[in-house]
Amino acid sequence: MSPNRKSKENRNGKKSVKRVALITGASAGIGLACARRLAKDGCSLVLVARRLEALKKLKSSLEKAYPGISVKVFKLNLADSADVKVWQKEHRVLLESVDILINNAGLAKGTDKIQDLQWSDAEAMIEVNMKGLLRFALPVIKTMAEKKSGHVVNLGSVAGRWVYPGGSVYCATKFAVRALGEAMRQDLLGRNVRVTNIEPGMVNTEFSTVRLGNKDLADKVYEKMTPLSGDDIAESISWCVNLPPHVNVQELVIYPTDQAHVGVGMVHRNI
């Protein structure tokens, strides 16, 4: 048995195998929060992101806080197909140990309406949110199907259920994530692999800063209202992956109380 998969006592006093969770986009936001929450749950972690120094700091803090787990970190850009392919080949054995895959990496770029859309923004969202998720996840899902065990968590969005002006391509990519999740569950029927789509509303992370390219503008998005936090979403994911194996939460749509729906005028602000 590998060091990452040592047995531990569960609540019933029986031996259970320590799970390994692989999280993409783990250096900030929801991915970072998921790493902290699943480490608290006793999972060993494999964390990938573009910012290696942030991952190293996270690794140090988590291994210090939770001595029973191991944390492996890797610099990887899911938009770079060549690098992803090389990384997957080099770490094939590690990927075979993964019990929980959290496809978190994603982004939005710009708020232009379709007639003014910048192709570079559209391409960036398609490359990461759709192609990046698939190219990274497929080998892991294949292994889970073969060993008949695993849980795939896809980070979608309320924008994957309802569209809004200025969000055409971002919405399209998140609609694709939702469709993939539903199709995954059907394809994996009988393989004992669970699939969950998490669809948050407004979450105060770096999301709006990346989208708008300006932190001051991003701060105004959440002004005078209480958005969700990365920890809120991580807590929901923890609940899903820790349910009994025969229970599969297919979708969770999660809004902050101050947001009724997508679109202008659907957010309550304490003026």
Side-chain angles (χ1 to χ4, degrees), residues 66-246:
Y66 307 102
I69 70 166
S70 72
V71 181
K72 300 181 185 299
V73 299
F74 302 93
K75 180 178 180 179
L76 191 64
N77 180 3
L78 267 60
D80 190 323
S81 59
D83 279 357
V84 170
K85 186 176 292 187
V86 169
W87 186 87
Q88 289 169 331
K89 183 176 181 180
E90 290 178 349
H91 300 286
R92 179 179 57 81
V93 175
L94 179 61
L95 293 179
E96 290 173 353
S97 74
V98 173
D99 303 293
I100 301 167
L101 170 62
I102 301 181
N103 291 311
N104 166 73
L107 78 160
K109 292 285 286 182
T111 58
D112 293 330
K113 294 185 178 179
I114 193 71
Q115 62 268 29
D116 301 314
L117 184 66
Q118 301 295 311
W119 174 247
S120 59
D121 290 344
E123 193 170 34
M125 289 183 277
I126 293 168
E127 195 64 45
V128 176
N129 299 354
M130 293 170 59
K131 294 170 67 176
L133 185 155
L134 268 177
R135 72 167 55 98
F136 187 82
L138 286 179
V140 183
I141 294 170
K142 180 178 177 62
T143 297
M144 288 180 173
E146 290 171 348
K147 66 184 182 182
K148 294 190 174 182
S149 177
H151 197 149
V152 180
V153 179
N154 297 318
L155 259 295
S157 168
V158 293
R161 300 190 69 88
W162 303 283
V163 299
Y164 55 88
S168 57
V169 174
Y170 178 70
C171 292
T173 63
K174 292 302 182 178
F175 266 72
V177 170
R178 180 163 64 95
L180 277 170
E182 292 183 8
M184 283 179 191
R185 280 209 66 224
Q186 294 183 26
D187 287 346
L188 291 165
L189 183 65
R191 296 287 184 162
N192 197 38
V193 178
R194 297 187 287 180
V195 181
T196 300
N197 284 350
I198 302 293
E199 298 160 12
M202 296 172 70
V203 186
N204 191 358
T205 63
E206 295 179 349
F207 176 86
S208 290
T209 301
V210 172
R211 181 173 211 169
L212 302 174
N214 183 302
K215 190 176 185 308
D216 291 336
L217 289 176
D219 289 342
K220 291 184 182 299
V221 173
Y222 311 108
E223 196 171 49
K224 298 180 180 179
M225 57 88 65
T226 304
L228 298 168
S229 68
D231 290 335
D232 295 327
I233 306 306
E235 185 69 27
S236 300
I237 291 171
S238 172
W239 175 69
C240 291
V241 301
N242 284 300
L243 288 169
H246 71 283

